[in-house]
Amino acid sequence: MCWHILGAGSLGSLWATRLARAGLPVRLLLRDETRLAAYTARGGLTLSENGERHTFAIAAQAVSAAQPIERLLVACKAYDAERAVAAIAHRLTDKADVLLLQNGLGSQEAVAAMLPQARCIFVSSTEGAYRDQDWSVVFAGQGFNWLGDATQSLAPSWLNELEQAGIAHQWTSSILERLWRKLALNCAINPLTVLHQCRNGALQAHAEEVTALCAELGSVLRCCGQAGAAEGLLEQVQQVITATAANYSSMYQDVAQGRRTEISYLLGHVCATARALDCPAPGLNRLRLRLIEDLKARGLPSD
């Protein structure tokens, strides 16, 4: 069965090239004929890993093509996910599997609601990748991928293909806990790196601010029934800050390159959840407003 990849950004390209390298059938879905022509002229996707570069002539087509889709990896940004899936939904078969590889929370549930006939599988990834040029991705950091279905626990039979492709993974019955945990980690680190204009490691100089945010995040997690995601949160945030001290967060990179951030699916989602549950989160709300003002001052979208 072919892996259709919607979103040829960093993680989408990382998955596509590793699947193709393993000899599995892969097809990129590109937004229009212009983008398809640019990819065709390039001749494939390039993966840089451990100092070596290899190009894979992966097949591609526009989203408007007619071929049915049985397995779809949605790897676009959270704010693009609904629109992108709506453009391809008519091609999904009645038993299609749709893997949702988005940051934060909110977009996954919205897409799943659009596709009642499909099996939507949520993915939480800690892998690091970035594009060094168009149609070229650098595998920047080994990580892990947790996959799960919020509605049924049975693992799909195709997980062995991820093993074949060297994509580190595990099926979990508690995928929402994994997603909430990653969301909390992102909320404790990413906005501060933007506001303080620093690498992750420099947040060690803002330990009190980080500690206070983690305390509030833990409170919100417990309020929304995700106590497991709150356990040891501060300690893990500190570990991530130390382990990635030389790195710039993904939100920092988005802002530095003049791109829209995923604030609505990170801080926005946490603050909306806290508000709906009457869970006090003054520090998180202040952080969100500070970030919104910073984005507006830079002429960037604040939603």
Side-chain angles (χ1 to χ4, degrees), residues 45-180:
L45 275 183
T46 299
L47 172 65
S48 295
E49 183 178 9
N50 299 323
E52 296 185 1
R53 291 175 63 84
H54 297 283
T55 298
F56 302 89
I58 298 169
Q61 61 185 201
V63 296
S64 57
Q67 181 188 33
I69 295 172
E70 294 184 79
R71 189 181 303 153
L72 175 68
L73 174 69
V74 181
C76 52
K77 292 283 192 177
Y79 49 73
D80 281 333
E82 287 182 75
R83 177 190 53 79
V85 172
I88 205 83
H90 65 284
R91 294 178 55 185
L92 296 173
T93 66
D94 290 340
K95 296 182 179 180
D97 287 331
V98 179
L99 286 75
L100 300 172
L101 185 58
Q102 278 67 54
N103 263 337
L105 278 165
S107 65
Q108 299 93 335
E109 294 90 339
V111 169
M114 292 169 53
L115 305 173
Q117 81 284 9
R119 183 182 191 187
C120 289
I121 292 168
F122 300 170
V123 186
S124 178
S125 178
T126 61
E127 292 188 305
Y130 64 90
R131 289 189 298 171
D132 56 344
Q133 56 183 291
D134 214 7
W135 314 117
S136 178
V137 64
V138 177
F139 193 4
Q142 294 287 340
F144 204 80
N145 299 280
W146 285 271
L147 298 89
D149 184 337
T151 62
Q152 56 176 295
S153 59
L154 185 65
S157 59
W158 44 257
L159 283 181
N160 65 308
E161 294 187 9
L162 300 186
E163 185 173 351
Q164 185 179 339
I167 298 174
H169 69 282
Q170 181 177 318
W171 182 260
T172 176
S173 58
S174 55
I175 188 61
L176 290 178
E177 180 179 309
R178 290 285 181 186
L179 288 168
W180 271 106

Side-chain angles (χ1 to χ4, degrees), residues 78 103-105 179-180 182-187 190-191 217 250-251 261-272 288:
N103 263 337
L105 278 165
L179 288 168
W180 271 106
K182 186 184 177 189
L183 181 148
L185 289 167
N186 283 336
C187 286
N190 292 15
L217 285 163
S250 57
M251 184 177 284
T261 70
E262 294 174 302
I263 179 175
S264 294
Y265 302 91
L266 297 169
L267 269 178
H269 189 82
V270 169
C271 290
R288 175 177 167 270

Side-chain angles (χ1 to χ4, degrees), residues 19-41:
L19 290 165
R21 182 174 61 187
L24 296 164
V26 183
R27 183 167 287 110
L28 298 179
L29 298 172
L30 305 176
R31 64 174 175 264
D32 52 36
E33 295 296 335
T34 301
R35 194 70 176 145
L36 179 58
Y39 173 73
T40 302

